[in-house]
Amino acid sequence: DEQLMENYKSGETFAFDVLFMRHHGRVLAFLKARMSNRRIAEDLLQEVFFKLHRSRHLYNEALPFMPWLFSITRSVWLDQVKK
């Protein structure tokens, strides 16, 4: 995953597709467990990966990818809860 993020940062868009395919199920399960509405959870899933896309330049390859992804996921979820 860390190498895929490096590839994605370098402009290889296929790496994003691979990361999404690997992790969207886990992210969606996290969100569905915390949201009563499946549609909202699916919208938040899109927001998580959009935020990953927008902040890809901030990713530090020396750190594991999954905690970074789930910090984004938690942030998106908390933003929704605050609304």
Side-chain angles (χ1 to χ4, degrees):
D1 291 340
E2 292 77 17
Q3 185 60 52
L4 285 168
M5 270 307 294
E6 282 304 301
N7 294 349
Y8 185 47
K9 282 172 58 175
S10 299
E12 296 179 23
T13 57
F14 81 92
F16 177 86
D17 296 337
V18 174
L19 288 168
F20 180 81
M21 292 306 296
R22 282 187 185 177
H23 301 296
H24 79 278
R26 236 186 276 178
V27 171
L28 184 57
F30 175 92
L31 295 168
K32 283 173 39 181
R34 287 155 181 81
M35 303 301 298
S36 59
N37 185 312
R38 178 181 172 88
R39 187 190 59 76
I40 293 174
E42 290 171 350
D43 290 346
L44 294 178
L45 171 69
Q46 290 181 22
E47 179 60 29
V48 166
F49 281 91
F50 184 60
K51 195 169 183 179
L52 179 148
H53 166 73
R54 287 191 319 251
S55 59
R56 67 188 178 277
H57 65 283
L58 300 173
Y59 177 70
N60 178 352
E61 64 277 357
L63 300 174
F65 173 76
M66 287 300 290
W68 186 72
L69 174 61
F70 273 88
S71 70
I72 293 171
T73 303
R74 186 172 185 274
S75 173
V76 167
W77 168 66
L78 287 174
D79 287 347
Q80 177 67 31
V81 169
K82 290 175 190 175
K83 291 181 183 176

